[in-house]
Structure formats: structure tokens, C-alpha cells
Amino acid sequence: MSAAATRRLTTAQALVRFLAAQYTERDGVRRRLISGTWGVFGHGNVAGLGQALVEYADVMPYHQGRNEQAMVHAAVGHARHLNRLSAQAVTTSIGPGATNLVTGAALATINRLPVLLLPGDYFASHAADPLLQQLEHPIEADVSVNDTLRPVSRYFDRITRPEALIPSALHAMRVLADPADTGAVTLALPQDVQAEAYDWPEAFFADRVWRVRRPAPDPVELAEAVRAIRAAGRPLIVAGGGVHHSEAEQALKALVDATGIPVAATQAGKGALRHDHPADLGGIGHTGTAVADSLARTADLVIGVGTRYSDFTTASGTLFQHPGVRFLNLNITAFDAHKLAARTLVCDARAGLTALTEALSGHRVDASYESDYRAGKARWDETVAAALRADDDSAVPTQTQVLGALDAVVGDEDVVINAAGSLPGDLHKLWRARSPRQYHLEYGYSCMGYEIPAALGVQQAAPGTPVWALVGDGTYLMNPTEIVTAVQENLPVKLVLVQNHGYASIGGLSESVGAERFGTAYRHRAADGAFTGAPLPVDLAANAASLGMDVRRAKTVGELREALVAARAATRPTCVYVETDPTPTAPPAEAWWDVPVAEVSGREAATDARARYERAVADRRRHL
């Protein structure tokens, strides 16, 4: 190879140059595959990737994070909002910086969302051994703490020689851009290899386009799917996140408009139809609506589109109770398509829905079925309106009234982000999604601490869009650090901080399974050792202000409305802090969720819960 055909760079410099030249393309639209890099520097990445990011700051934007897990959440939020067509990288130091990535990596892979992880690693040469923060494994000298990322990554490699980066980097991009195989990708980078120079082929740095496929359905599978739909008397579509990832919302609407088949949505799929579409039944499963869960129990054909059927969706195998129920799963991933012993349609969601609409020409569900679910939807809409309504502006708002006040303020383009606590259940039942990207719930991993950093990633993906992070006090205390990053980068995210003095969701679950709300409240310890004293004197609003946010405190419904309007108009990071009335005002769960209860106990609460559990678990079905 001639000298003109190579470029002498360090491994870290070559990696940054390579990443800056990668693109995705779908439907003729091209995007940067790696749009930027998040980082917290320490030994193991400061002299390698840190120096490279300084050298090539003109082609690779850098974002300074405060917590490694939070940086992954920000990157995941960014990728999800851009339908997985663009991702971000995250670099960390050796040791705790690297292991802090594990939770974020698991979240990304579970939710099928791309993120590139670049943790520092120990010396490949073992020149310094052991070094600071090194895990010494007595029988496997090549093991490092980065190996904790193997089970939560879709692709993992440790780059022990500069030239090994070439095939590994290409494999990494392939996985990130593959809609059927994406998730967290880890390239562990020994610190000596990062700094080592090598003569790289110029072709490694050429612009490279990864075309995101839209595989069409197999003709035989399509014909079988059409026969199944035509034969069904009460079909129900379950829309999952794959509808959004494929940008298949209009294709779904076209199928529903033509056939009258109703749609219920998972947490990831909510918003696939607008809330006011006549066939949109809202959420399904344990946190679903009364109308969706009622239809699910009588559906004879369940058509899953882009869903992985978590236990919340299936009510732990108890929801779909029709004696002859069968499943038809349209999914780009065969692994998910085959779940519940389904007929499969392995293809891109938009391509598959379009093909079904054409092949089902002239077919429509029975008018009585359509009338039935529309009447159920109308009844549920009344329930939603009652839960969100607040008639007394001077009253302390309930949590559902907080959602009602926010619903009245947001526009169709706003994005509402949540992940954990009692809010996901209330949102799944009650939120009236107005656009495909408005409802952003991370419920594959339901990770406390996701919301604030994810809001940063979404705000980067959609400048000028109002982005709301909804968090309870428990979630806030897990991971508020990226507020500082929002201030530093002038990202005008809006934080709605709901104070209810503890883990409201797990407290309710604890009570229902006989654990008596033990350890779920943020209260002083009473004389008998129980956490039943007064609420802790913790001022989370003051904490948010100390990190640089503008804070508006709202004590009443009227003050809350004013604060939300001001926050939406704000041009810098703003927090609306509200202490809520703990009175439950959300409709109760319409379906079960399996959390095993102690089979024997000396406490009445647990024995009563076990009796309820045994009655519920008897309804579980194995769909074969």
C-alpha cells in the first residue's frame, strides 16, 4: 500500500474520524449515524479519546455529562426520538465509569434502541498491572470490568490491537443501523491501544452509508395473515414501539380506516393513532383502559405490530381469554414475531401494514363489533375527562389533575417523557396522545432516573420543541445530575417534579401483595422502627434551583396551570414543583400483573394477598 493511501493516526483519532463519516439512509433521507459523543473523562479515556475529540471537535460534537448511566439515557432518548436512524456515542474511564454504563446498556438493548459505548480498558500490553481501578481475576487475566457489558450488548469487542478496530468498527455500525438487531454496542478500548499510532487506510475514513432496510412480507406469510384476518370476528391490533420506529403510523391508520379493526397500544406504541381516532382504544394490559382490556378478553385474533409482548401487555398471560384466540405478529424481528405461538409476518412494519391493507381490499369488521368498541371508547373518554378535571383552582392537585393541567397546556408537537413510578400507569390510561412522538415512555426497563437525561437527548434531537420530563420524588433522587448539563448546554427542558413523599407505585404494590408498604415512604423512623413518622424535610425544588434550574412552585391547581404555561414559554431549563394530594384518583387496574406472594406467612395481610393471588393466577393461559 502506498504512503498516499494511508494516514498515520492514533487508534482513538482514527475511531473519531471513522464515526464522523458514518450515515444512515432510509426512504432517501440521510442522517449522521453517530451525531455526537457524550463523555466523562478519567484515566483510560482522557489521553486517548479525550485528545481525539479535541483534535476533531469540528466533525464530532462533544457533550459533557455528569453521570455515565445518565449519558446513556440521553443517547437513548435521542435515538428513540429519531426513530433509531441516528445514535450517539458514550465514552467513560476505566473502572466505575465503565460499570456505570451497565444499567443504561440494558435499557437500550431491552428497548431495541441503538447506542455506542466506548469505555476505557486496562493496558492490553499489561505494562502496568494491576493499575488503578483494575479488577484482578485470578484465573482469567483478560477479564476486565467491561465484561459486565457483554450480556447487555448486542455486539461487544475489546480492541487489543489498532488494526483490529477496522473490522470491529464496521460490525458495530452494522448492528447499530440494523432495525432487527440493534441495541447497545460496546467497543472496549485499552488505554495504551487508544494512544498507539497506526497507518490507517484512507478508505476507512470515507463516507459510508448504512441503508436501513424495509423488508417486505413473504408472500406465503402474507396470504396466511390475510386469511386469518378475514376469518376473524373480533380482531384486535396491539400496536408496539415498532410502529413508531418504522414511521408506520399513517400505514396503520390506512389499514384501520379501511377495515375498522380497533387498536390498543403498549407503552411504547401509544400515539400510533391519535387519541381521538374512532378506533383508538388507548393502552392495553395491566395499565390499560377498560375498553381495550375488555376487547382483549374477547378477541379471537390478536394482531401484534412491532411489540415484544411484555408481561404488562399480556397481563402476565391472563388477558387474552377467548377460547379460540390466535395471534398474528408483524415484526421485523423473527424472535418477537414467533411469540405466543403466532402466525408470523416478519417484515418492516410500514411495508407489512401497507401490504395487508392492499390484500384486504373490501374487507371490514362487522358493524356490530365496530359499534361495540366505539361505545366502549366513548364511555372511557368520559372516565378520562373526569379523572383529569379539576374544578377548584384553590385545591391541592391530585396526580391525575397534574396530568390534566399539563394536557391543557401542551401542543401537538410537545414531547412528554416518563419511565417509572406511578406516573406510567396513569399516563398509559389517561394521556391523550396527539402525535406520534408526543408520548415517550421507557417501559421496557422502567428505569428510575431515565427521564431527565432522556429529555436532554430528545431536546438535542428536536431543537425548539417543548420537552417535558415528568418525575416523582423517588425518581428525581435517583439521577438529577444532568440538570447541570441542561444548564451548561442551554437545553430548555421542562421538569415537572411531583412530590408525594415516597415510592407511590411500589407502595401500592407492596400493600397489595401483603408487604404492608414496608420501606416505600420517605419519612422519619418512628420509635417502633417503622417509617411512619412525619415526611422528611427535603426540599427538592431548592435542590433543582441549586443545580441551575429556574423553579416555579405550585401549591394549588390554579398556580400549577400558571406555572406550566410559564415553563412552556421558557427559554432555559425550568422546573415546576408541585406537592400533590395523595388521594387516588386514577381508574383502577383493569388487568392483573403477576408478582408472586409469600405462600406461607404469619401475617394476615400476606395470607389474604396469597388467596387473591391464587385466584388470579388460575386465569393464566399458555398460548399454543
Side-chain angles (χ1 to χ4, degrees):
M1 184 176 291
S2 68
T6 63
R7 192 186 314 185
R8 190 161 183 80
L9 301 173
T10 68
T11 303
Q13 292 164 355
L15 177 58
V16 171
R17 291 296 307 184
F18 169 83
L19 294 177
Q22 307 303 303
Y23 297 85
T24 63
E25 184 175 285
R26 187 170 71 181
D27 304 330
V29 178
R30 184 172 296 188
R31 293 183 180 272
R32 279 276 297 267
L33 175 51
I34 305 298
S35 65
T37 297
W38 290 87
V40 172
F41 292 118
H43 90 103
N45 70 340
V46 66
L49 275 170
Q51 187 281 325
L53 288 165
V54 171
E55 184 124 351
Y56 298 120
D58 57 330
V59 295
M60 179 56 67
Y62 170 72
H63 310 293
Q64 183 180 4
R66 268 73 196 174
N67 174 279
E68 293 86 358
Q69 177 184 320
M71 294 192 298
V72 185
H73 294 336
V76 166
H78 181 89
R80 173 171 167 171
H81 195 77
L82 295 175
N83 297 319
R84 308 191 298 190
L85 298 173
S86 182
Q88 292 177 320
V90 177
T91 179
T92 71
S93 63
I94 289 169
T99 52
N100 279 352
L101 296 173
V102 174
T103 296
L107 182 148
T109 297
I110 285 170
N111 286 285
R112 321 293 204 256
L113 294 167
V115 60
L116 177 61
L117 307 180
L118 304 173
D121 213 326
Y122 314 147
F123 284 80
S125 66
H126 291 259
D129 187 29
L131 69 157
L132 179 66
Q133 300 177 328
Q134 180 173 344
L135 172 72
E136 292 185 88
H137 199 286
I139 60 172
E140 295 176 290
D142 62 339
V143 167
S144 81
V145 295
N146 286 332
D147 288 279
T148 60
L149 289 161
R150 288 182 184 271
V152 292
S153 297
R154 293 296 292 170
Y155 179 79
F156 178 99
D157 196 10
R158 179 174 286 110
I159 310 302
T160 57
R161 290 293 307 145
E163 60 267 32
L165 177 65
I166 296 174
S168 188
L170 293 169
H171 283 307
M173 299 304 105
R174 172 190 61 79
V175 173
L176 289 172
D178 188 336
D181 201 32
T182 197
V185 168
T186 301
L187 298 181
L189 302 169
Q191 61 176 312
D192 51 346
V193 178
Q194 287 182 53
E196 188 174 345
Y198 182 73
D199 293 323
W200 301 88
E202 282 288 351
F204 187 57
F205 307 116
D207 286 359
R208 189 179 301 270
V209 178
W210 301 86
R211 288 185 173 80
V212 180
R213 298 181 295 276
R214 288 195 182 277
D218 176 82
V220 174
E221 286 194 336
L222 179 61
E224 290 179 350
V226 169
R227 282 195 294 271
I229 294 172
R230 288 186 180 275
R234 296 178 68 84
L236 172 67
I237 293 172
V238 176
V243 176
H244 294 308
H245 300 328
S246 177
E247 299 175 305
E249 297 90 357
Q250 287 303 311
L252 176 63
K253 181 178 182 297
L255 175 65
V256 170
D257 288 344
T259 64
I261 301 173
V263 176
T266 69
Q267 287 279 18
K270 193 173 170 77
L273 288 182
R274 266 187 66 104
H275 74 93
D276 52 4
H277 189 285
D280 179 66
L281 308 181
I284 190 170
H286 177 62
T287 53
T289 68
V291 58
D293 286 352
S294 177
L295 258 69
R297 292 185 178 95
T298 62
D300 56 357
L301 179 68
V302 179
I303 307 167
V305 183
T307 178
R308 63 188 191 93
Y309 287 112
S310 78
D311 62 341
F312 259 58
T313 299
T314 67
S316 300
T318 65
L319 185 58
F320 305 110
Q321 287 295 325
H322 188 284
V325 65
R326 292 293 180 266
F327 296 84
L328 166 64
N329 292 337
L330 191 168
N331 204 296
I332 199 166
T333 305
F335 176 81
D336 290 318
H338 281 276
K339 289 177 178 175
L340 302 176
R343 290 184 176 89
T344 61
L345 201 56
V346 180
C347 60
D348 170 74
R350 193 166 85 181
L353 290 168
T354 300
L356 282 174
T357 303
E358 294 172 354
L360 288 165
S361 179
H363 174 75
R364 194 169 184 87
V365 299
D366 189 84
S368 62
Y369 180 50
E370 203 165 349
S371 175
D372 181 25
Y373 73 67
R374 289 192 179 199
K377 175 181 172 62
R379 290 192 297 271
W380 183 255
D381 287 345
E382 293 175 358
T383 300
V384 170
L388 299 182
R389 185 169 56 245
D391 297 322
D392 182 359
D393 276 8
S394 64
V396 175
T398 64
Q399 182 163 283
T400 59
Q401 289 170 343
V402 171
L403 298 183
L406 183 61
D407 175 76
V409 168
V410 301
D412 289 10
E413 70 278 15
D414 291 36
V415 180
V416 175
I417 300 173
N418 185 241
S422 57
L423 277 165
D426 292 355
L427 286 160
H428 200 205
K429 292 189 195 82
L430 303 175
W431 188 259
R432 299 184 282 210
R434 307 176 200 175
S435 64
R437 299 256 58 86
Q438 183 178 78
Y439 187 87
H440 184 126
L441 261 285
E442 187 287 298
Y443 217 61
Y445 211 39
S446 186
C447 186
M448 295 177 72
Y450 172 82
E451 296 90 341
I452 295 173
L456 273 60
V458 172
Q459 193 73 83
Q460 289 174 333
T465 297
V467 179
W468 303 83
L470 275 56
V471 302
D473 51 305
T475 286
Y476 179 87
L477 286 168
M478 285 278 182
N479 203 2
T481 53
E482 297 320 300
I483 287 174
V484 177
T485 303
V487 173
Q488 181 180 41
E489 299 216 359
N490 195 30
L491 296 170
V493 296
K494 295 92 172 61
L495 170 62
V496 179
L497 177 49
V498 179
Q499 171 64 278
N500 53 26
H501 301 289
Y503 301 130
S505 174
I506 293 301
L509 178 62
S510 172
E511 186 173 32
S512 74
V513 299
E516 305 174 50
R517 292 185 178 263
F518 178 76
T520 62
Y522 289 162
R523 294 179 178 274
H524 284 288
R525 205 182 266 276
D528 62 359
F531 295 98
T532 56
L536 297 175
V538 175
D539 190 342
L540 299 184
N543 178 263
S546 75
L547 296 178
M549 274 196 139
D550 290 342
V551 176
R552 293 179 175 269
R553 297 174 184 259
K555 295 182 179 179
T556 66
V557 170
E559 291 176 359
L560 174 63
R561 289 177 177 144
E562 293 174 0
L564 291 172
V565 169
R568 189 171 189 272
T571 58
R572 66 181 313 277
T574 302
C575 171
V576 175
Y577 174 86
V578 58
E579 190 161 356
T580 55
D581 178 345
T583 304
T585 51
E590 296 288 337
W592 185 60
W593 182 42
D594 189 352
V595 177
V597 176
E599 192 169 1
V600 294
S601 173
R603 298 183 70 85
E604 184 179 358
T607 56
D608 290 347
R610 179 67 190 190
R612 293 192 299 270
Y613 177 82
E614 289 176 353
R615 289 193 297 270
V617 79
D619 290 333
R620 188 184 341 260
R621 295 181 62 183
R622 298 288 186 185
H623 297 288
L624 299 172

